Amino acid sequence: MSKAALSDSRVDPGAQRQIKLLIIEDDNVHRMIIKRFAAALGFATAEAPTFEQAITLFDTDAFDCITLDLSIRAHSGLDVLRHLRDIGCRIPVLIISGAEDGKRSETLVVAESMHFHVLHVMKKPLDLHALREALAKLKTFVHVNGQ
């Protein structure tokens, strides 16, 4: 990851309240990249490499938004969204997945039908500039909408 890519995304963390982002991603490398870019933008992050860990974190903490992989070991991203819907939590979502285009599109339609705000759907491998832009958009959306 280039220093330029990270330095371009730095903001004054004291300027606004920290947004709590849960990174739901089973791949260690992608999770680390997302975390570094999110931290550079001033997000407070937590990580869940499994569906079970994500559910546990939702039971113990409140998050403003999530990044969501669509394939989380034995579960899917839709399993996470169904759980969030069932507990009445409809936070903004950034989908980041290596799944085929059809699965990403289908998940977007289902997520929107469950009244989630899916702000961006990204394909892996990650384009670092696009990731920075998508996270910045997510942050702005949360601040503007008071999530």
Side-chain angles (χ1 to χ4, degrees), residues 81-94:
L81 294 177
R82 285 184 193 104
H83 176 78
L84 291 176
R85 179 197 59 201
D86 292 348
I87 64 171
C89 180
R90 291 211 170 61
I91 56 179
V93 178
L94 173 59

Side-chain angles (χ1 to χ4, degrees), residues 21-38 41 43 45-46 48-49 65-73 75-78 80-81 92-101 103-105 107-108 111 117-138:
L21 170 69
L22 179 57
I23 302 165
I24 305 171
E25 170 64 65
D26 62 348
D27 180 84
N28 292 333
V29 173
H30 283 105
R31 199 170 56 250
M32 179 204 64
I33 291 169
I34 296 165
K35 181 178 180 173
R36 287 185 67 188
F37 273 78
L41 279 166
F43 284 92
T45 62
C65 50
I66 61 172
T67 63
L68 180 63
D69 187 8
L70 297 184
S71 181
I72 315 159
R73 298 187 186 167
H75 292 274
S76 74
L78 283 176
V80 173
L81 294 177
V93 178
L94 173 59
I95 295 173
I96 302 174
S97 179
E100 63 184 35
D101 291 344
K103 182 175 181 180
R104 287 194 314 271
S105 296
T107 301
L108 173 61
H117 294 284
V118 179
L119 298 179
H120 199 71
V121 179
M122 299 186 68
K123 182 178 182 177
K124 293 178 190 172
L126 288 169
D127 171 324
L128 299 181
H129 178 74
L131 174 63
R132 180 174 46 82
E133 293 299 318
L135 287 168
K137 180 179 175 182
L138 182 61

